[in-house]
Structures are given as structure tokens and as C-alpha cells.
């Protein structure tokens, strides 16, 4: 039943009758002032939380005046160079009363520190903050490719973040394990599910390696999935996700609290399913994908806009995407039943099939680890985990060892590439049909008016950055960054030192460049 272990049918017996999913629209473009206006629009029109999209320089830990940022500032998200930008981004939006998700992984920790400082400057007690930080570096090596360092330094920072939030900000989710980008890169539904949950198990092992209580830190792990167009397959995927997580957390990692066993996830409709041809069809695609997420029991949802295959959404298309969720929530009656499809022969069989496919992939990952040959059954896995407690991550931790070797050898990338290739062949042969692309191609649709980010955004952002640097105490900022690097050479938690650097208006690029100089950069090994 819904609300009962292993939560296949949902986390709550009442489903959405007690509380509907959170409408959390992903948004960010230009500078902090422009994005702040969009956030206010989303909240005023019924959005339940915010989700921050950052531009490419920010995602790569670069300042807006870095030569590598030229031409990219503000174009795929909002530019954030320092805590002052974060202040402007959330101006007149009370952070103590608004849950905020931030989609960033490589420089997630310094960006999180900027968020905390912005909250401090609002007068908010940071211990009360609630929200989610993506932080998922495993999926960057697997799919999205936005890392800064080698895996080990990133895991050190993530471990520090988990420990800091566990001790100081109990409601905040420091990790959103992301399958979305794995699916968008070309994986199958089963690969998305298995790779994502394996990454989640890796972060569980990271927490255990820090000596954290799994019943305390595991509820701070949330998940982020894609909702694609194969309607029933997506519903089954979400159901299987909850079941697998609950069983592994209980049987392998020893969690006992209900909150630790319950997999909570955000869903975004499939950006890769949207087409530039006949773009109004994208409204239908998004509605179907959103309904699959709802029937699968998502905890929060973002619906893509019809023009996102061409550019960032206009205000009108963003409103249509928001209204799509509201129509499903308020008009269709799907919130009246906890799990409408539970008991369906087809859905139950499909859930079992996706679970079995995922377990087979877990076996492959475990075999790549140093102890993978021994890790074939639950009892043996539990023994390996118990034997590894207190050891550094990457030692004999069964799932982490396999993930790191899979990254090093390019195995994940190869698996996704093979799946993407098979899909493309089916599309070109016509066995996979996409309306408006290779099927029913005639149309009366006209060209869309799209959002264009002016080059003035970059010029103004760079000028603001120069003014902020000129207005700060340079010695205090430089000393704080140096102190942060010194702490990185010890076993102490880096978050307090990084917060001091951010309070001194050290920029994202300065913080990340100092750590690049200390830890080096990572280059992906070639794979043929």
C-alpha cells in the first residue's frame, strides 16, 4: 500500500490529497536583476518554490570577466560572481520562507556559501533554511561534463558539505542526485535509474566514511529524474526507484528510520524530447510527461516551456509551462487517488522489469570495483559496507569503487553513447516516430518570437564585478582565500573557511582558481 515499505506506490498513504507536489519552475537568465523579476513572476502566479539556472561561466567556476567566459555570460542561466549577486538574485524574496533549489555541481559548495551569506544579509537564521543543492559530481563525469577537479577533491568538498548541513542546517538537502542529465545525454530509462541510484549509494558510502549517522544524513539526499514520453515506462521507473532505494538503504546500508528509507525526487519534463519543428507540439509533450511524473508520485515538478529547444523561455511560454502543472493539479482529478495505477498488471510487470534491469546494471558496476567479484548478494554487500566504516571513500566501499573505475575507464560514457546511437538509428530508419520531425511534417506553424539575451548583460555584469572588487577590502579577501586553501590541506571542514572568503566578497572565480592551483584540474581520459 502507499505509505508502506518499500514505498513502491508512494511515500504517503494519502498521496496528493494531503499535500500536492511542489511546483518548482527552473529559471535563470541574464543578470541577477532580470532573474529576480522572473522569480517574482513565478511566485506571484502560483509557483511553490524556486529553482536556479546558472550560466555556463558560473557552472564552471569562472568569473564573468574571465577570458573563457567571453560570449557566455547570462546566456544559459543567471551570472553569479559573488555573494552580492546572490543578494540581488533573491531581493525581496524571503529566503527563510522560500524553498530554493540550485542546479550546479562543480562549484556547488562556494555557490552554497554565497546563498548562506545572502540569507545572513537578509537577517535569516540560516539553520532554518530549506532547499536543495545539486552537488552531484558523479553525474558530471558520467554525462554532463561540468567538473572542476578530479573526483577525490570534489568528494572531499561534498563530504564537508554533508557534514556541515547535517550539523547546522538539518532541513537543507545538500545533494540532489541527478538522473536527468544522464537521460538527456541519451541513456535508456533503466540506465538513468540504475546510474542515478548507484551514484546515490556512492554518496551514502561517502557519508558513512565521514562517520555520519545514516538515519540523520540520508534524508538530506534527494533525487532528480527526467520524465520522458514513454508514459507507462516513466511511471514504472519512478515506482521502481522508491522500491530499490528503500531496500538497499535498509538491507545493505542499515538505515532504519522511515525518512532515510524514503526516496524523494524532483522531476523535470524531458528537454531532449522537445523539437524546433512545430514547436507548439511541445506543449502536448510536456503535459504528457508531467502527468507521468504525477502518476509516478513525484514530490516536485518542473515543466519545460515550448520554446526551450530554441532559447531560454519567454515570459509567455514560461507561464504556459506553469499553467500546465496547475491544470493537471486543479482540473484533472489525479490528486484524488493515492496511486491510481497500482495493481495494474501492465504497470506492476513493467515496474518489476525496470527494477530487474537496474539490478543487473548494479552488478556490472560492482564488478568494476575492487571487491566487485565478491559483491553478488545483499549479505556480502552488507559485510563489505560494515568492514569499510571509518575508511576513506574509494577504499573498499563497494559501489563507490565501481563508480570511480567506471568513470576512469569511460564505461558510463560508452554505455550512454551506445544507447544514444541506437535511438538515432531508429529515428533515421523511421521506426521511431517524432511528429513534425520525421512524421506528419506538414505544418502551418509560424516562427516563434524567442528570448534573446543582449550583449549588454555581459558588459554590465563585468562592470559590476569590477566595482565590487574595487569596493572590498582586498587584503581581507585575499587572506580569507589563502586561509581556505590552508584548511584544504588539513582534515578540517572547509565550509567555515569558505564562508569567511565569501563574506569578504571573494569571487567564485577567485575561490575556484585557488583550489585549481592546489588540486589541479581533471581531463577526461580518451575512449575509443
Amino acid at each position: 500500500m502507499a505509505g508502506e515499505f518499500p514505498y513502491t506506490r508512494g511515500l504517503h498513504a494519502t498521496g496528493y490529497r494531503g499535500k500536492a507536489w511542489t511546483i518548482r519552475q527552473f529559471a535563470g537568465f541574464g543578470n541577477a536583476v532580470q532573474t529576480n523579476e522572473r522569480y517574482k513572476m513565478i511566485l506571484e502566479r502560483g509557483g511553490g518554490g524556486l529553482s536556479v539556472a546558472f550560466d555556463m561561466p558560473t557552472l564552471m567556476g569562472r568569473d564573468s570577466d574571465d577570458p573563457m567566459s567571453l560570449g557566455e555570460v547570462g546566456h544559459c542561466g543567471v551570472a553569479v560572481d559573488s555573494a552580492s549577486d546572490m543578494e540581488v538574485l533573491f531581493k525581496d524574496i524571503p529566503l527563510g520562507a522560500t524553498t530554493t533549489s540550485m542546479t550546479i555541481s562543480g562549484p556547488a559548495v562556494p555557490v552554497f556559501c554565497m546563498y548562506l551569506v545572502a540569507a545572513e544579509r537578509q537577517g535569516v537564521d540560516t539553520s532554518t533554511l530549506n532547499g536543495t543543492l545539486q552537488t552531484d559530481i558523479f553525474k558530471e563525469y558520467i554525462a554532463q561534463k561540468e567538473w572542476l577537479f578530479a573526483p577525490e577533491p570534489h568528494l572531499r568538498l561534498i563530504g564537508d558539505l554533508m557534514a556541515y548541513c547535517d550539523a547546522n542546517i538539518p532541513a537543507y538537502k545538500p545533494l540532489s542526485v541527478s538522473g536527468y542529465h544522464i537521460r538527456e545525454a541519451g541513456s535508456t530509462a533503466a540506465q538513468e535509474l540504475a546510474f542515478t541510484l548507484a551514484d546515490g549509494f556512492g554518496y551514502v558510502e561517502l557519508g558513512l566514511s565521514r562517520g555520519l549517522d545514516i538515519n540523520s544524513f540520508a534524508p538530506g539526499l534527494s533525487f532528480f529524474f527526467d520524465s520522458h514520453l514513454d508514459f507507462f515506462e516513466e511511471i514504472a521507473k519512478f515506482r521502481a526507484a522508491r522500491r530499490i532505494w528503500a531496500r538497499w538503504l535498509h538491507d545493505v546500508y542499515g538505515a532504519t528510520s522511515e525518512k532515510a528509507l524514503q526516496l524523494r525526487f524532483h522531476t523535470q519534463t524531458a528537454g531532449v524530447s522537445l523539437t524546433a519543428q512545430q514547436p507548439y507540439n511541445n506543449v502536448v509533450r510536456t503535459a504528457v510527461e508531467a502527468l507521468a511524473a504525477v502518476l509516478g508520485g513525484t514530490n516536485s515538478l518542473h515543466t519545460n516551456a515550448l520554446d526551450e529547444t530554441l532559447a531560454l523561455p519567454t515570459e509567455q511560454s514560461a507561464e504556459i509551462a506553469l499553467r500546465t502543472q496547475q491544470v493537471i493539479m486543479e482540473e484533472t482529478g489525479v490528486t484524488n487517488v493515492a496511486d491510481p495505477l497500482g495493481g495494474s498488471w501492465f504497470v506492476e510487470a513493467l515496474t518489476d522489469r525496470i527494477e530487474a534491469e537496474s539490478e543487473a546494471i548494479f552488478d556490472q558496476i560492482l564488478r568494476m570495483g575492487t571487491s566487485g567479484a565478491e559483491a553478488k548478494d545483499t549479505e556480502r554487500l552488507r559485510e563489505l559496507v560494515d568492514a569499510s566504516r571509518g575508511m576513506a571513500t574509494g577504499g573498499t566501499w563497494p559501489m563507490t569503487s565501481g563508480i570511480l573505475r567506471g568513470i576512469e575507464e569511460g564505461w558510463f560514457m560508452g554505455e550512454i553513447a551506445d544507447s544514444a546511437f541506437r535511438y538515432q538509428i531508429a529515428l533515421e530508419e523511421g521506426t521511431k516516430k517524432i511528429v513534425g520531425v520525421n512524421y506528419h511534417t506538414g505544418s502551418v506553424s509560424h516562427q516563434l518570437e524567442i528570448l534573446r539575451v543582449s550583449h549588454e548583460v555581459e558588459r554590465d555584469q563585468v562592470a559590476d564585478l569590477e566595482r565590487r572588487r574595487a569596493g572590498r577590502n582586498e587584503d581581507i579577501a585575499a587572506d580569507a582565500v589563502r586561509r581556505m586553501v590552508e584548511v584544504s590541506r588539513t582534515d578540517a571542514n572547509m565550509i567555515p573557511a569558505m564562508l569567511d572568503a565569501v563574506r569578504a566578497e571573494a569571487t567564485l572565480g577567485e575561490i575556484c582558481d585557488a583550489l585549481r592551483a592546489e588540486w589541479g584540474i581533471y581531463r577526461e581520459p580518451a575512449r575509443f
Side-chain angles (χ1 to χ4, degrees):
M1 297 296 292
E4 296 180 5
F5 180 89
Y7 312 107
T8 309
R9 300 189 64 189
L11 301 183
H12 309 291
T14 55
Y16 294 127
R17 286 174 293 175
K19 181 183 182 297
W21 67 91
T22 301
I23 296 175
R24 191 183 300 282
Q25 290 295 100
F26 186 50
F29 67 96
N31 59 30
V33 172
Q34 293 168 307
T35 299
N36 175 263
E37 292 171 357
R38 177 65 61 87
Y39 288 165
K40 289 174 181 174
M41 182 273 283
I42 290 171
L43 293 172
E44 286 167 3
R45 298 183 191 179
L50 298 176
S51 184
V52 185
F54 296 97
D55 70 357
M56 186 57 69
T58 306
L59 291 171
M60 299 305 297
R62 304 278 177 185
D63 285 337
S64 295
D65 60 355
D66 189 303
M68 294 185 74
S69 301
L70 184 64
E72 295 290 343
V73 175
H75 280 273
C76 70
V78 63
V80 171
D81 291 312
S82 72
S84 292
D85 284 318
M86 199 70 83
E87 270 191 282
V88 175
L89 186 63
F90 294 109
K91 187 174 186 291
D92 300 323
I93 298 172
L95 291 178
T98 307
T99 62
T100 302
S101 170
M102 293 188 287
T103 302
I104 191 165
S105 293
V109 178
V111 166
F112 168 76
C113 290
M114 291 176 186
Y115 175 75
L116 290 190
V117 170
E120 289 175 353
R121 292 173 182 177
Q122 281 191 3
V124 174
D125 177 359
T126 58
S127 69
T128 66
L129 290 174
N130 195 350
T132 306
L133 188 68
Q134 188 165 99
T135 323
D136 179 7
I137 206 63
F138 283 143
K139 66 92 179 175
E140 297 296 343
Y141 300 109
I142 291 171
Q144 200 174 18
K145 313 302 182 183
E146 291 169 359
W147 59 73
L148 274 63
F149 322 112
E152 288 76 9
H154 272 300
L155 290 175
R156 186 268 171 85
L157 278 173
I158 295 170
D160 285 353
L161 178 68
M162 291 171 67
Y164 186 87
C165 290
D166 187 56
N168 300 287
I169 318 177
Y172 196 82
K173 319 303 185 291
L175 260 163
S176 176
V177 190
S178 176
Y180 184 84
H181 306 94
I182 293 170
R183 188 66 176 279
E184 294 285 295
S187 77
T188 64
Q191 286 173 329
E192 176 197 357
L193 180 58
F195 293 172
T196 307
L197 292 183
D199 290 349
F201 300 145
Y203 296 123
V204 168
E205 293 174 355
L206 175 61
L208 293 174
S209 76
R210 290 300 191 98
L212 300 179
D213 178 0
I214 190 168
N215 291 314
S216 177
F217 78 79
L221 301 177
S222 65
F223 288 79
F224 174 26
F225 290 115
D226 198 302
S227 188
H228 220 287
L229 272 167
D230 191 323
F231 187 69
F232 291 107
E233 183 177 61
E234 294 304 295
I235 294 167
K237 178 185 76 181
F238 300 134
R239 299 171 94 250
R242 283 190 296 269
R243 179 193 296 176
I244 294 168
W245 182 255
R247 288 180 174 165
W248 274 68
L249 263 286
H250 180 270
D251 296 347
V252 176
Y253 296 108
T256 54
S257 80
E258 204 169 60
K259 285 192 173 181
L261 300 175
Q262 292 177 338
L263 180 142
R264 294 167 179 81
F265 66 95
H266 172 74
T267 309
Q268 181 173 341
T269 56
V272 75
S273 73
L274 306 182
T275 64
Q277 302 91 329
Q278 300 181 21
Y280 292 103
N281 297 345
N282 294 333
V283 178
V284 181
R285 293 185 177 103
T286 295
V288 170
E289 292 163 354
L291 184 58
V294 168
L295 292 177
T298 191
N299 302 106
S300 65
L301 179 62
H302 165 89
T303 32
N304 289 325
L306 66 96
D307 52 0
E308 286 193 60
T309 189
L310 299 167
L312 293 168
T314 63
E315 187 169 351
Q316 182 183 34
S317 65
E319 181 181 86
I320 293 170
L322 175 65
R323 296 293 187 237
T324 299
Q325 291 202 52
Q326 291 166 333
V327 168
I328 292 172
M329 183 182 291
E330 306 297 345
E331 299 184 27
T332 64
V334 295
T335 60
N336 297 335
V337 184
D339 179 27
L341 298 179
S344 158
W345 292 344
F346 178 58
V347 171
E348 299 294 353
L350 196 53
T351 302
D352 291 344
R353 192 199 80 192
I354 290 178
E355 180 182 16
E357 290 177 5
S358 297
E359 291 287 353
I361 294 172
F362 295 151
D363 284 346
Q364 289 179 280
I365 297 171
L366 290 167
R367 282 196 296 271
M368 287 189 290
T370 54
S371 51
E374 307 170 22
K376 292 291 289 182
D377 61 79
T378 300
E379 186 177 340
R380 180 57 183 150
L381 277 173
R382 181 70 176 268
E383 290 174 1
L384 289 168
V385 168
D386 288 343
S388 298
R389 290 178 189 273
M391 293 185 182
T393 305
T396 57
W397 291 99
M399 193 62 79
T400 304
S401 297
I403 292 168
L404 292 175
R405 185 171 177 187
I407 290 167
E408 180 185 343
E409 296 184 354
W411 180 81
F412 292 102
M413 182 172 62
E415 292 293 297
I416 294 171
D418 288 346
S419 297
F421 181 71
R422 287 192 295 270
Y423 179 91
Q424 186 64 26
I425 291 296
L427 189 63
E428 293 181 10
E429 290 178 345
T431 54
K432 168 65 181 174
K433 294 181 175 65
I434 299 180
V435 174
V437 177
N438 66 350
Y439 200 67
H440 299 309
T441 55
S443 177
V444 295
S445 294
H446 56 80
Q447 191 170 5
L448 290 176
E449 289 291 327
I450 62 173
L451 177 69
R452 300 185 187 278
V453 178
S454 168
H455 71 280
E456 294 176 357
V457 167
E458 182 166 329
R459 183 195 65 194
D460 293 346
Q461 182 70 18
V462 169
D464 284 345
L465 179 57
E466 289 175 356
R467 281 194 294 272
R468 286 169 183 166
R469 283 203 186 104
R472 71 187 181 183
N473 186 311
E474 196 67 35
D475 290 339
I476 292 176
D479 286 345
V481 172
R482 278 195 292 272
R483 171 63 183 152
M484 179 196 70
V485 173
E486 290 171 2
V487 172
S488 76
R489 296 167 183 161
T490 72
D491 292 332
N493 193 304
M494 288 183 62
I495 305 298
M498 195 174 285
L499 278 168
D500 287 342
V502 168
R503 292 185 185 109
E505 283 297 315
T507 67
L508 181 65
E510 289 166 348
I511 291 170
C512 293
D513 284 346
L515 294 177
R516 286 185 184 100
E518 181 69 17
W519 289 334
I521 60 173
Y522 176 76
R523 296 196 184 280
E524 188 173 50
R527 185 182 190 277
F528 299 97

